């Protein structure tokens, strides 16, 4: 019995141990498996778990780790960004130091956009298990969360608001600039603005075509490298550049538009470009190139200044000269005049010369053709030519020619008379200050010695014009002495054209003034300070520097008031004070402004339009509506330097079919 009990007891322990192991084994297996999965999942084990679970598990683990670094507000932003852009990589998050350019697993980053890559696993690379028929599982379609949507809307609204503010600010700045420009433009005289405005048609850039500009630019750079090649002893490159420059200059020639270039120009441009590229590789040095360009710029500037001086000199010289045709005309007429008998040299209707009830004109000129145009244009536009009387005064050289022309071409029903200024015996140096001054040694030196220290400037050259030496130019200050029995007279220059009947000028009330003239001042131009030396106390004391100037060329003079106010005496006073030319330079306008100061009545501008001898932008409507147009300036209509656009107004009054003009080859 004892042995039986002991055997039964020994068989119970193994049975109990087996039961205990069966109960604890599942618990132990779950414990170790879950711990291993949490701490360091094996790649083979992870491969048995669906990728979607792995991604979620990795995301949860990453967020748990981020709690150690960020606040709850930051985590909310990260969660919303994760929902939109995909799971975040903590390693990348740390590596980029929280910059906006976070690298997101599953995205391909470019400069400004994000492009979706092919779906990949996040955090753990999935392996395809062909034997189990398993494949990688892509990411689900991304969706925007309400938090992210509201955040994006706020950003877009801020951007739109900022853009609107910038546009509004820009519009306000533009409006201010335009208003400022308009105010400045109001202070500029329109005539002078037209003269100097670089945008008007006459001043269009003649080299505006791009191909021509490119060729010129290439030549400039080639010259730079040519100098550097010589400096660095690159003789082959030097010769090649020199050849290309010659070819480009030959193609360029005198072309002013791309259409004028030869067909080979583009090939030459390409060849030049290749040489310049080669030169740049071998020779380019920023400091040397800059220095060379600066030296070229300085040289070009000096050349421009020299050409401007030369142009001024030639312009003044051209203004002084008389064309061969006009000189020929004067000589032929003079010869034929002195071949006439004394009886045939007289003009008819001499009784009208002193009739104060007629319309009298004074014209002082030594240019036969110019004087004929003035008389012809006035008669052709007069309503009743029989009431018009023309008083011409010329010098002894042109006296015969002037007489002969009007004897051959009588002015219709009008009256004409020609006088010789050298026969006015009362006009002598003892009476006339300007004659006395012209005879002085200092004045002769000023005019006739080119080596004089003051002869360098173009302004001095301008005042050496022979017209300033002629008494015909100063005779306008002696009208009552020349025409003692007349009450009113209209003074005309020989570079004007009459386009309308002028009898209305005799009806203009001058309000007790002596001179009726058109004013020429704008906002700041052609005022007294332009003509007179206000540093002189006599000028500063007696005249207003801002007083408005007026024009000679068409002036109505009341000779009765002239005599009452002793205008000639006032002129003599100022002329005597200016013997050393300290009050004004030579000429008749400055002493005229002083003599008739406060005694000039302004006429309507439509009576007299000026500027056709220097201003290329005179308005055509003003010219067409003007009673008199004036070619004041150097570009007289009978000279080759005349502006073509204005010349036709003058040529239509020239009788080019006249035998004398044909014989002297005077043509349009």
């Amino acid at each position: 019995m004892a042995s039986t009990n002991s055997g039964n007891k020994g068989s119970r322990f193994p049975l109990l141990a087996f039961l205990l192991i069966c109960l604890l084994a599942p618990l132990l297996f779950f414990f170790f498996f879950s711990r291993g999965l949490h701490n360091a999942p094996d790649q083979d084990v992870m491969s048995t778990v669906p990728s979607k679970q792995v991604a979620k598990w990795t995301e949860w683990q990453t967020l748990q780790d981020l709690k150690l670094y960020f606040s709850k507000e930051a985590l909310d932003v990260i969660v919303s960004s994760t929902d939109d852009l995909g799971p975040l990589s903590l390693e990348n998050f740390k590596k980029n130091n929280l910059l906006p350019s976070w690298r997101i697993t599953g995205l391909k980053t470019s400069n400004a956009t994000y492009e979706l890559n092919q779906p990949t696993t996040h955090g753990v690379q999935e392996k395809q298990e062909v034997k189990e028929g398993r494949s990688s599982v892509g990411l689900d379609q991304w969706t925007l969360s309400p938090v992210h949507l509201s955040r994006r809307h706020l950003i877009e609204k801020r951007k739109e608001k900022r853009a609107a503010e910038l546009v509004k600010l820009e519009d306000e700045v533009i409006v201010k600039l335009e208003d400022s420009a308009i105010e400045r433009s109001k202070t500029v005289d329109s005539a002078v603005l037209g003269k100097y405005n670089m945008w008007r048609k006459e001043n269009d850039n003649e080299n505006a075509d791009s191909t021509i500009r490119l060729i010129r630019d290439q030549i400039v750079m080639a010259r730079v490298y040519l100098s550097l090649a010589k400096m660095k002893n690159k003789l082959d490159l030097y010769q090649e550049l020199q050849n290309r420059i010659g070819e480009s200059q030959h193609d360029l020639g005198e072309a002013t538009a791309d259409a004028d270039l030869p067909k080979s120009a583009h090939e030459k441009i390409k060849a030049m470009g290749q040489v310049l590229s080669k030169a740049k590789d071998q020779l380019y040095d920023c400091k040397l190139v800059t220095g060379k360009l600066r030296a070229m710029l300085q040289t070009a500037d000096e050349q421009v200044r020299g050409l401007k001086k030369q142009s001024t000199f030639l312009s003044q010289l051209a203004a002084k000269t008389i064309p061969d045709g006009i000189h020929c005309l004067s000589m032929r007429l003079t010869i034929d005049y002195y071949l006439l008998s004394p009886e045939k040299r007289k003009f008819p209707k001499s009784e009208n010369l002193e009739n104060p009830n007629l319309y009298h004109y004074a014209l002082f000129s030594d240019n036969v053709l110019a004087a004929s145009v003035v008389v012809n244009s006035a008669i052709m536009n007069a309503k009743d030519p029989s009431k018009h009387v023309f008083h011409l005064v010329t010098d002894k050289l042109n006296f015969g020619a002037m007489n002969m022309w009007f004897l051959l071409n009588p002015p219709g029903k009008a009256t004409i008379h020609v006088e010789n200024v050298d026969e006015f015996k009362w006009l002598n140096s003892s009476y006339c200050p300007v004659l006395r001054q012209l005879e002085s040694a200092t004045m002769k030196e000023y005019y006739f010695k080119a080596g004089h220290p003051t002869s360098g400037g173009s302004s001095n050259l301008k005042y050496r014009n022979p017209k300033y030496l002629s008494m015909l130019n100063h005779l306008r200050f002696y009208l009552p002495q020349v025409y003692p029995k007349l009450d009113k007279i209209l003074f005309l220059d020989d570079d004007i054209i009459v386009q309308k009947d002028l009898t209305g000028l005799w009806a203009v009330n001058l309000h007790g003034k002596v001179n009726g003239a058109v004013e020429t001042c704008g906002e700041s131009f052609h005022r007294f300070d332009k003509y007179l030396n206000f540093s002189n106390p006599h000028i500063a004391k007696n005249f207003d520097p801002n007083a408005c100037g007026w024009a000679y060329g068409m002036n109505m003079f009341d000779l009765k008031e002239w005599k009452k106010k002793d205008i000639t005496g006032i002129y003599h006073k100022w002329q005597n004070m200016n013997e050393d030319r300290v009050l004004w330079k030579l000429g008749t306008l400055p002493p005229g402004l002083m003599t008739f100061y406060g005694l000039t009545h302004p006429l309507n501008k439509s009576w007299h339009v000026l500027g056709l001898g220097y201003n290329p932008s005179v308005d055509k409507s003003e010219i067409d509506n003007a009673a008199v147009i004036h070619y004041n300036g150097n570009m007289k209509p009978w000279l080759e330097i005349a502006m073509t656009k204005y010349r036709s107004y003058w040529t239509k009054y020239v009788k080019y079919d006249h035998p004398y003009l044909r014989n002297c080859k005077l043509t349009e």
Side-chain angles (χ1 to χ4, degrees):
M1 185 70 181
S3 61
T4 304
N5 291 337
S6 63
N8 292 336
K9 184 176 181 181
S11 62
R12 275 192 211 118
F13 283 104
L15 181 61
L16 290 174
F18 176 75
L19 291 174
L20 182 62
I21 291 171
C22 290
L23 290 173
L24 294 177
L27 294 175
L28 291 173
F29 175 78
F30 178 75
F31 174 77
F32 287 109
F33 174 78
S34 61
R35 184 177 179 183
L37 181 64
H38 174 73
N39 290 332
D42 182 78
Q43 194 171 15
D44 292 331
V45 175
M46 289 296 292
S47 64
T48 62
V49 183
S51 60
K52 186 180 295 186
Q53 294 182 10
V54 174
K56 290 182 178 180
W57 178 263
T58 305
E59 179 182 339
W60 179 84
Q61 180 63 36
T62 302
L63 291 176
Q64 294 299 319
D65 292 335
L66 288 176
K67 288 181 180 180
L68 300 174
Y69 299 96
F70 304 105
S71 63
K72 185 178 182 301
E73 292 78 4
L75 288 174
D76 291 339
V77 173
I78 295 172
V79 170
S80 63
S81 299
T82 304
D83 292 340
D84 181 46
L85 300 177
L88 300 176
S89 170
L90 180 59
E91 294 301 320
N92 292 334
F93 198 88
K94 294 178 180 179
K95 184 185 299 182
N96 291 320
N97 296 322
L98 306 181
L99 292 175
S101 56
W102 291 349
R103 183 165 59 189
I104 302 173
T105 306
L107 291 180
K108 181 179 179 181
T109 306
S110 63
N111 290 337
T113 59
Y114 291 95
E115 297 179 357
L116 196 61
N117 245 351
Q118 294 296 330
T120 57
T121 57
H122 308 289
V124 179
Q125 182 178 2
E126 294 183 356
K127 291 184 177 180
Q128 294 183 347
E129 298 183 4
V130 179
K131 63 181 180 179
E132 296 182 7
R134 296 178 181 179
S135 60
S136 301
V137 180
L139 292 175
D140 293 333
Q141 183 68 29
W142 293 350
T143 58
L144 298 176
S145 67
V147 175
H148 182 76
L149 282 174
S150 61
R151 179 169 170 267
R152 175 172 289 183
H153 290 326
L154 287 174
I155 293 174
E156 290 177 354
K157 286 181 180 180
R158 284 198 299 268
K159 288 181 178 179
E160 291 175 359
K161 183 179 178 181
R162 179 57 179 165
E165 291 175 352
L166 291 174
V167 170
K168 183 179 178 181
L169 179 62
E170 184 178 3
D171 291 341
E172 292 176 353
V173 172
I174 292 174
V175 170
K176 289 181 180 179
L177 290 173
E178 290 176 348
D179 292 341
S180 177
I182 291 172
E183 290 299 322
R184 288 197 304 272
S185 68
K186 292 178 180 179
T187 65
V188 181
D189 180 50
S190 59
V192 179
L193 179 64
K195 179 181 178 183
Y196 295 104
N197 181 14
M198 65 175 295
W199 298 107
R200 69 175 189 273
K201 186 175 180 180
E202 289 77 10
N203 282 340
D204 281 347
N205 184 2
E206 62 177 5
N207 295 322
D209 291 37
S210 58
T211 305
I212 286 183
R213 291 204 311 270
L214 175 59
I215 294 175
R216 293 186 183 279
D217 291 343
Q218 284 187 331
I219 291 174
V220 170
M221 288 308 302
R223 286 174 175 167
V224 172
Y225 288 127
L226 188 71
S227 175
L228 297 180
K230 187 175 182 180
M231 182 188 304
K232 296 186 178 182
N233 202 28
K234 302 280 187 178
L235 300 182
D236 294 340
L237 186 57
Y238 176 87
Q239 188 63 42
E240 192 173 0
L241 285 167
Q242 200 168 38
N243 293 337
R244 294 302 179 189
I245 290 174
E247 291 176 357
S248 297
Q249 289 177 334
H250 180 268
D251 282 356
L252 190 61
E254 297 181 357
T256 58
D258 287 355
D260 300 332
L261 294 171
K263 294 181 180 179
S264 62
H266 291 283
E267 296 179 1
K268 301 292 177 60
I269 291 173
K270 184 177 179 181
M272 175 66 91
Q274 293 173 351
V275 175
L276 289 176
S277 178
K278 180 180 177 181
K280 181 180 178 182
D281 293 339
Q282 297 184 23
L283 303 172
Y284 185 78
D285 183 293
C286 183
K287 186 176 181 180
L288 289 176
V289 171
T290 303
K292 182 60 180 176
L293 287 172
R294 193 171 296 164
M296 292 174 65
L297 180 62
Q298 185 175 357
T299 302
D301 184 59
E302 292 175 356
Q303 290 176 346
V304 169
R305 291 182 182 180
L307 290 173
K308 282 184 176 180
K309 290 181 179 179
Q310 184 179 10
S311 174
T312 302
F313 171 79
L314 293 175
S315 177
Q316 298 293 342
L317 183 62
K320 296 177 184 181
T321 58
I322 297 176
D324 290 342
I326 296 178
H327 182 70
C328 167
L329 177 64
S330 179
M331 293 298 100
R332 286 178 177 270
L333 289 170
T334 300
I335 292 171
D336 291 346
Y337 174 75
Y338 286 108
L339 292 176
L340 292 176
S341 60
E343 301 82 30
K344 294 182 179 180
R345 298 179 185 177
K346 295 180 180 180
F347 291 99
K349 305 176 185 177
S350 59
E351 66 278 4
N352 292 336
L353 297 177
E354 296 180 348
N355 185 350
N357 298 319
L358 300 179
Y359 305 111
H360 293 266
Y361 299 82
L363 175 61
F364 307 149
S365 175
D366 58 0
N367 188 325
V368 177
L369 190 61
S372 70
V373 169
V374 175
V375 174
N376 192 27
S377 64
I379 292 172
M380 289 179 63
N381 292 287
K383 294 179 180 178
D384 186 0
S386 63
K387 295 183 178 180
H388 295 257
V389 181
F390 294 89
H391 301 266
L392 273 69
V393 180
T394 186
D395 56 21
K396 60 183 177 182
L397 292 176
N398 295 281
F399 178 72
M402 199 74 73
N403 275 279
M404 191 64 188
W405 177 264
F406 289 106
L407 287 170
L408 293 172
N409 305 279
K413 296 180 180 180
T415 303
I416 194 164
H417 182 62
V418 181
E419 295 181 271
N420 181 1
V421 67
D422 297 302
E423 294 180 357
F424 296 161
K425 302 303 180 183
W426 52 268
L427 196 62
N428 51 59
S429 58
S430 61
Y431 173 69
C432 179
V434 72
L435 271 177
R436 184 175 66 254
Q437 293 168 9
L438 288 173
E439 293 174 357
S440 67
T442 55
M443 193 67 71
K444 289 178 180 178
E445 183 182 14
Y446 180 81
Y447 272 108
F448 299 111
K449 290 190 178 181
H452 192 273
T454 61
S455 64
S458 61
S459 60
N460 291 312
L461 177 64
K462 174 182 177 181
Y463 293 110
R464 286 185 177 82
N465 195 312
K467 70 179 183 179
Y468 297 114
L469 294 173
S470 173
M471 273 309 299
L472 288 175
N473 199 44
H474 297 271
L475 196 59
R476 64 193 69 193
F477 294 105
Y478 301 95
L479 290 176
Q481 288 83 354
V482 181
Y483 311 109
K485 295 185 179 180
L486 298 181
D487 297 333
K488 276 189 174 183
I489 195 166
L490 183 65
F491 173 79
L492 299 176
D493 273 343
D494 63 359
D495 56 352
I496 63 100
I497 293 172
V498 180
Q499 299 189 128
K500 294 182 180 180
D501 182 75
L502 299 180
T503 54
L505 285 169
W506 276 263
V508 174
N509 185 357
L510 299 182
H511 301 284
K513 304 295 178 65
V514 179
N515 176 26
V518 170
E519 293 182 334
T520 57
C521 59
E523 294 294 332
S524 58
F525 302 98
H526 298 292
R527 297 186 180 273
F528 272 43
D529 59 353
K530 177 181 175 65
Y531 304 99
L532 305 178
N533 177 20
F534 275 87
S535 63
N536 187 283
H538 296 291
I539 298 295
K541 180 180 178 181
N542 291 282
F543 303 100
D544 178 7
N546 293 316
C548 191
W550 45 267
Y552 269 126
M554 191 211 73
N555 305 80
M556 176 57 70
F557 290 113
D558 187 333
L559 299 184
K560 286 186 176 180
E561 291 295 329
W562 185 306
K563 295 172 186 175
K564 288 181 182 178
K565 295 179 170 59
D566 190 20
I567 297 300
T568 303
I570 297 174
Y571 165 69
H572 283 174
K573 168 194 170 184
W574 290 113
Q575 191 68 52
N576 283 322
M577 295 176 64
N578 193 48
E579 186 169 358
D580 296 328
R581 301 185 304 280
V582 294
L583 304 184
W584 73 87
K585 296 293 184 181
L586 296 181
T588 55
L589 182 56
L593 296 175
M594 300 168 70
T595 300
F596 295 101
Y597 183 65
L599 300 173
T600 300
H601 174 74
L603 298 176
N604 189 290
K605 291 184 180 295
S606 63
W607 281 112
H608 186 193
V609 170
L610 299 102
L612 278 70
Y614 72 89
N615 184 3
S617 61
V618 181
D619 189 83
K620 188 178 185 300
S621 62
E622 291 184 4
I623 297 175
D624 294 337
N625 294 326
V628 170
I629 57 176
H630 194 173
Y631 292 85
N632 57 311
N634 287 334
M635 301 178 186
K636 303 300 184 187
W638 56 83
L639 298 175
E640 291 184 3
I641 62 174
M643 282 183 275
T644 307
K645 63 187 294 186
Y646 301 142
R647 199 164 186 269
S648 60
Y649 293 99
W650 187 81
T651 56
K652 67 180 180 180
Y653 295 107
V654 180
K655 299 179 180 180
Y656 285 106
D657 58 345
H658 196 283
Y660 278 87
L661 271 63
R662 289 204 308 268
N663 290 334
C664 290
K665 299 180 181 180
L666 284 167
T667 60
E668 294 185 60

